[in-house]
Amino acid sequence: MTKLALMSDLHIDSNQFTDFEIQTLLDILESENIDWLHIAGDTANHFYETGLPFYDKIGEKLTLTYNLGNHDMLDLSEEVIDHLDFKTYQLGELTLLAFHGWYDYSFYPDKSERENSLFKETFWFDRRLKRPLNDKDLTQVICQRLERELSRLSGPIVVAMHFVPHHHFTLTHPKFQPFNAFLGSQRFHEIFYRYGVTDVVFGHAHRSYGTKIIDQIAYHSRPLGYIREWDLTINFVNQNPEYNPTGTWNLSKRYHAVKNLDAYRRYKTQHLATEFRNALTILDTYPSAK
């Protein structure tokens, strides 16, 4: 039996991972008897400089696979992005299909395609990427390839992707709803349902939903996200309101108010393992009967 863990959105550069964070993650994986770790995108902003050395270090201890998120694509050519896309792995009876995904603005129909595109070029990280097609056409090409890949597979299928595959997981606060345009596409769910996918692990939106069953598909969303979003940071500020005299719920302001405090650093050291454990989706895979 292989024990598979999946996680996403580690952002090891923004979160300033050191040897301590890496060793804590490895210790958690060992304590959970994980044989195989798959990371579903957004490991770092610089793939060659930061992401690959991290993968190599983790890969010394267990099998490590990954797909890209939008942040991972920053320094990469489209040829490399395509080469790393749509990988299949056989884990006994189970097939893991890993692909990047993308978005087509369909999660925010309140704006026209042109309006969403202009908004992206003003505010969104992906304005720094040079993809070969517009977002709608790129998603169409990805969906066509996804159908081809799934049509060749049989047995239990677990999909790992970065982007959001169902509108249930979009942002609900009115301030943030315009960013739903860049989260993913409902078309992914429709394809998964048509081909009998059993499980889907994704991230990108930095909101943990745990496991949610939709149309017999188990969706797993436990992105680690930025340190300002971590439970341990939120809990520390809540437990020590003297560090938040204005009572703000702005996560950046809350984090910057405590990040250099010795008390916060000790608290982070004590609770980091739990933060990492809560960001894992763990699946048992069984040997094939053949």
Side-chain angles (χ1 to χ4, degrees):
M1 181 179 74
T2 299
K3 204 168 186 182
L4 169 68
L6 304 98
M7 61 193 313
S8 73
D9 298 272
L10 274 67
H11 293 284
I12 63 173
D13 40 10
S14 299
N15 290 330
Q16 299 181 329
F17 269 42
T18 65
D19 289 343
F20 173 73
E21 282 77 17
I22 294 173
Q23 189 58 52
T24 300
L25 176 58
L26 287 171
D27 290 345
I28 284 294
L29 295 170
E30 183 179 10
S31 70
E32 295 290 340
N33 299 311
I34 302 303
D35 306 295
W36 189 310
L37 176 66
H38 184 88
I39 301 179
D42 276 8
T43 298
N45 286 348
H46 302 289
F47 179 80
Y48 295 113
E49 177 183 339
T50 309
L52 270 184
F54 173 76
Y55 295 145
D56 289 342
K57 193 160 191 176
I58 299 295
E60 292 174 358
K61 303 296 183 181
L62 72 171
T63 301
L64 186 285
T65 53
Y66 59 89
N67 58 269
L68 302 179
N70 49 323
H71 283 258
D72 303 301
M73 297 177 184
L74 182 61
D75 295 336
L76 301 183
S77 68
E78 193 63 28
E79 181 180 5
V80 172
I81 292 171
D82 183 68
H83 174 71
L84 295 172
D85 210 357
F86 286 98
K87 302 295 184 181
T88 57
Y89 308 96
Q90 201 67 40
L91 292 84
E93 295 178 341
L94 180 151
T95 301
L96 171 63
L97 169 63
F99 76 106
H100 313 324
W102 201 246
Y103 47 82
D104 57 7
Y105 309 156
S106 59
F107 286 154
Y108 194 67
D110 299 39
K111 289 183 179 180
S112 68
E113 183 175 347
R114 182 176 183 276
E115 289 171 329
N116 278 315
S117 180
L118 289 173
F119 185 64
K120 169 186 170 178
E121 293 302 319
T122 304
F123 292 104
W124 198 242
F125 177 88
D126 297 352
R127 68 186 184 275
R128 302 167 65 183
L129 307 180
K130 305 301 179 186
R131 305 304 306 269
L133 301 171
N134 67 53
D135 296 317
K136 187 175 181 180
D137 289 346
L138 183 58
T139 301
Q140 169 71 8
V141 170
I142 291 168
C143 286
Q144 289 172 344
R145 185 172 177 186
L146 176 60
E147 293 217 50
R148 292 197 301 271
E149 295 290 337
L150 287 173
S151 70
R152 291 195 282 261
L153 302 179
S154 59
I157 301 169
V158 173
V159 168
M161 62 184 299
H162 183 65
F163 292 86
V164 175
H166 194 286
H167 64 77
H168 176 82
F169 307 106
T170 56
L171 306 172
T172 57
H173 193 290
K175 179 180 178 181
F176 300 114
Q177 283 181 342
F179 295 101
N180 285 332
F182 319 121
L183 291 192
S185 173
Q186 188 71 15
R187 293 186 62 192
F188 294 125
H189 171 75
E190 295 166 0
I191 294 170
F192 298 153
Y193 180 71
R194 190 153 57 245
Y195 287 92
V197 170
T198 57
D199 294 80
V200 178
V201 179
F202 67 97
H204 189 48
H206 289 201
R207 181 174 177 182
S208 180
Y209 290 89
T211 298
K212 174 75 174 178
I213 308 296
I214 303 176
D215 293 334
Q216 293 83 53
I217 302 170
Y219 284 103
H220 310 275
S221 174
R222 298 177 177 86
L224 182 64
Y226 296 124
I227 191 170
R228 65 178 180 266
E229 302 165 323
W230 292 2
D231 286 342
L232 69 85
T233 301
I234 293 171
N235 292 341
F236 178 82
V237 176
N238 287 347
Q239 295 167 20
N240 298 274
E242 65 272 22
Y243 299 129
N244 184 27
T246 66
T248 180
W249 273 98
N250 182 295
L251 297 182
S252 292
K253 291 180 179 179
R254 288 163 62 97
Y255 170 63
H256 285 290
V258 302
K259 67 176 184 177
N260 294 320
L261 298 176
D262 288 341
Y264 172 72
R265 290 172 174 166
R266 289 193 297 270
Y267 189 90
K268 176 188 170 187
T269 298
Q270 294 166 0
H271 295 274
L272 184 63
T274 299
E275 196 77 35
F276 286 166
R277 175 60 185 84
N278 291 342
L280 291 174
T281 294
I282 298 176
L283 302 173
D284 291 330
T285 68
Y286 296 90
S288 173
K290 295 180 181 179

